Amino acid sequence: MELSNLFFIIISAIFINNFVLVRFLGLCPYIGVSKKLDSALGMGMAVIFVMTMASVFTWLINHFFLSPDTGIFGYDLTFLRTIAFILSIAVLVQFVEMVIRKSAPELYKALGIYLPLITTNCAVLGVSILNITENYNFIEAIVNGISSGLGFTLVLLLMAGIRERLERAQVPKALQGMPIAFIVAGCMALAFLGFSGLKF
Amino acid sequence: MKPVAEFTKGILKENPVFVMALGLCPALAVSTSVENAIGMGAAATFVVLCSNLIISLIKNFIPDKIRIPCYILVIATFVTVVDMTMNAYLPPLHKSLGIFIPLIVVNCLILCRAEAFASKNGVGLSILDALGMGLGFTLALISIATFREILGSGTFLNMRILPQSYKPMIMAILPPGAFFTIGLLMGLINLLKKKD
């Protein structure tokens, strides 16, 4: 495993294949929670945390239970991947919520309402499945999880900053609210398209 | 509640994509061609139909506290069915939809119908609701894909409709085109609504 490889994964997950703007994953929170900067920050932190944990757990589940070569059962259980992954993510989110509520009430207040929403954030299941289809090893999967979360948070914060200013802009009546948010997202996607020329 | 209204509300008045903003990720990601849009719409309709049917049948046996994980489990089962069936019979479509087939599990449209409708209503109405919502989702996908495919490759359902001399607007197939198309379509629907 080379360091340059990890570096490539980080740059790729944050900029070139940004989860929201290029892969279209996690759009619901991107549009839904980007109205205020501080709630966007809370959501972003919660997503980075859960994505990293989910990458760890789903990789281990796939490696030790589902894969026919390395699994302890020796059967090809890959057809159970979707069910196993979504269940482990749901359990994980619930568990994280309980731990944070007991150990860090302040953090819970900040993240609390966003945590349950994350179960149905397709970015989390998306990163778990991508880790497997891209054949990442354990370290690469964790790095990919963290940097995908960072990429998500980056565009969420940018979007929230823009939308706070849009509040005061004069937008045509028909485009107010969601439509203008999508058009802004389109402009951001156009900018991120520039990264696709990056070659290592 | 009138059964007909339960069916038709999903098509325009409560259209899952344009009005309720549910299931946005697949709506934008797979709408590069009309063919993909129909495939995704059919897959999602099948899953929402089956999950609404099962959940409306078992809703009285599920303890209230763990209902969401139960719904997700039901949905994930049918998604696996779709995934394997499509892989066996339509491998090219399976390949072009890629990761978005397993991601139907977390399509908020399906969980939303389970939680908001099937868990409160009977089997018949739940089926009608699922059919209407599935149809509305498919129509929304097709309308986005129509613009993107015609502008981006000059074709409709792989048939050439613009002359060879038309220079394809590549941006329409790339991600920004998806955001612009859905933003403008939503604006158009708002405009039409105000006129009524």
Side-chain angles (χ1 to χ4, degrees):
Chain A
M1 186 190 54
E2 295 163 51
L3 220 56
S4 62
N5 196 18
L6 289 183
F7 181 70
F8 178 72
I9 290 177
I10 294 173
I11 297 295
S12 164
I14 297 182
F15 296 112
I16 306 175
N17 285 319
N18 185 282
F19 253 60
V20 179
L21 296 175
V22 180
R23 288 203 206 267
F24 296 115
L25 293 169
L27 279 175
C28 299
Y30 176 65
I31 296 294
V33 204
S34 61
K35 281 193 189 114
K36 287 243 165 60
L37 207 53
D38 37 341
S39 55
L41 190 66
M43 183 69 176
M45 291 301 145
V47 166
I48 295 178
F49 189 60
V50 174
M51 261 182 154
T52 314
M53 300 288 278
S55 293
V56 172
F57 279 96
T58 52
W59 192 91
L60 290 175
I61 287 172
N62 189 66
H63 191 75
F64 288 112
F65 293 112
L66 304 179
S67 162
D69 306 320
T70 51
I72 51 169
F73 301 124
Y75 298 117
D76 186 0
L77 296 175
T78 42
F79 68 94
L80 286 175
R81 187 180 292 157
T82 314
I83 299 181
F85 280 13
I86 191 69
L87 266 187
S88 51
I89 290 171
V91 170
L92 181 74
V93 170
Q94 199 89 60
F95 181 70
V96 167
E97 196 187 342
M98 286 192 293
V99 169
I100 293 183
R101 194 190 315 194
K102 280 276 177 226
S103 60
E106 283 303 308
L107 188 65
Y108 179 76
K109 245 182 221 160
L111 298 186
I113 41 170
Y114 303 111
L115 279 171
L117 288 177
I118 293 178
T119 312
T120 53
N121 181 343
C122 45
V124 179
L125 185 60
V127 78
S128 310
I129 296 176
L130 278 173
N131 282 338
I132 308 303
T133 51
E134 301 276 326
N135 273 325
Y136 285 153
N137 65 32
F138 189 54
I139 304 291
E140 287 170 334
I142 298 175
V143 169
N144 190 35
I146 298 176
S147 36
S148 299
L150 282 174
F152 176 84
T153 311
L154 174 72
V155 290
L156 189 67
L157 288 178
L158 288 175
M159 184 68 168
I162 295 175
R163 278 182 86 173
E164 279 194 346
R165 291 178 168 227
L166 266 182
E167 294 265 298
R168 276 177 239 122
Q170 286 196 325
V171 179
K173 260 224 156 77
L175 289 181
Q176 273 169 8
M178 234 157 7
I180 194 71
F182 275 111
I183 292 170
V184 169
C187 298
M188 285 173 71
L190 212 52
F192 269 73
L193 213 56
F195 290 117
S196 65
L198 281 183
K199 288 262 158 56
F200 287 92
Chain B
M1 213 34 143
K2 294 177 289 290
V4 182
E6 293 297 351
F7 177 67
T8 53
K9 71 169 191 287
I11 297 173
L12 203 64
K13 214 174 88 207
E14 288 180 26
N15 186 291
V17 177
F18 291 130
V19 181
M20 313 214 314
L22 295 172
L24 289 172
C25 307
L28 294 184
V30 304
S31 59
T32 46
S33 75
V34 178
E35 199 182 350
N36 284 353
I38 295 174
M40 187 68 203
T45 308
F46 172 78
V47 175
V48 74
L49 182 64
C50 294
S51 65
N52 258 14
L53 172 69
I54 299 291
I55 288 165
S56 64
L57 283 173
I58 61 171
K59 61 176 184 281
N60 295 330
F61 305 107
I62 302 177
D64 203 41
K65 277 194 177 146
I66 54 158
R67 64 182 195 286
I68 300 287
C70 294
Y71 298 162
I72 291 181
L73 199 58
V74 171
I75 295 166
T77 310
F78 288 112
V79 171
T80 309
V81 170
V82 169
D83 194 5
M84 291 163 90
T85 315
M86 211 179 254
N87 199 2
Y89 294 102
L90 297 162
L93 185 66
H94 186 264
K95 211 168 165 210
S96 61
L97 295 183
I99 188 176
F100 285 94
I101 299 277
L103 285 184
I104 298 176
V105 179
V106 282
N107 187 329
C108 12
L109 161 68
I110 293 165
L111 194 63
C112 168
R113 291 338 286 170
E115 165 75 5
F117 199 90
S119 63
K120 299 190 183 83
N121 289 285
V123 179
L125 284 181
S126 295
I127 290 177
L128 282 176
D129 174 75
L131 281 175
M133 284 292 163
L135 194 62
F137 182 69
T138 313
L139 287 176
L141 252 67
I142 292 176
S143 59
I144 300 173
T146 307
F147 281 100
R148 292 183 69 191
E149 197 184 340
I150 291 178
L151 287 177
S153 27
T155 57
F156 181 77
L157 269 174
N158 297 327
M159 283 179 302
R160 178 153 286 283
I161 56 163
L162 292 177
Q164 281 294 346
S165 57
Y166 172 73
K167 222 170 160 199
M169 204 169 104
I170 307 282
M171 200 198 77
I173 323 187
L174 291 173
F179 286 112
F180 288 133
T181 312
I182 194 171
L184 293 175
L185 280 176
M186 276 179 166
L188 191 69
I189 287 175
N190 282 348
L191 207 63
L192 292 177
K193 258 203 219 146
K194 216 159 283 160
K195 284 220 173 102
D196 288 342

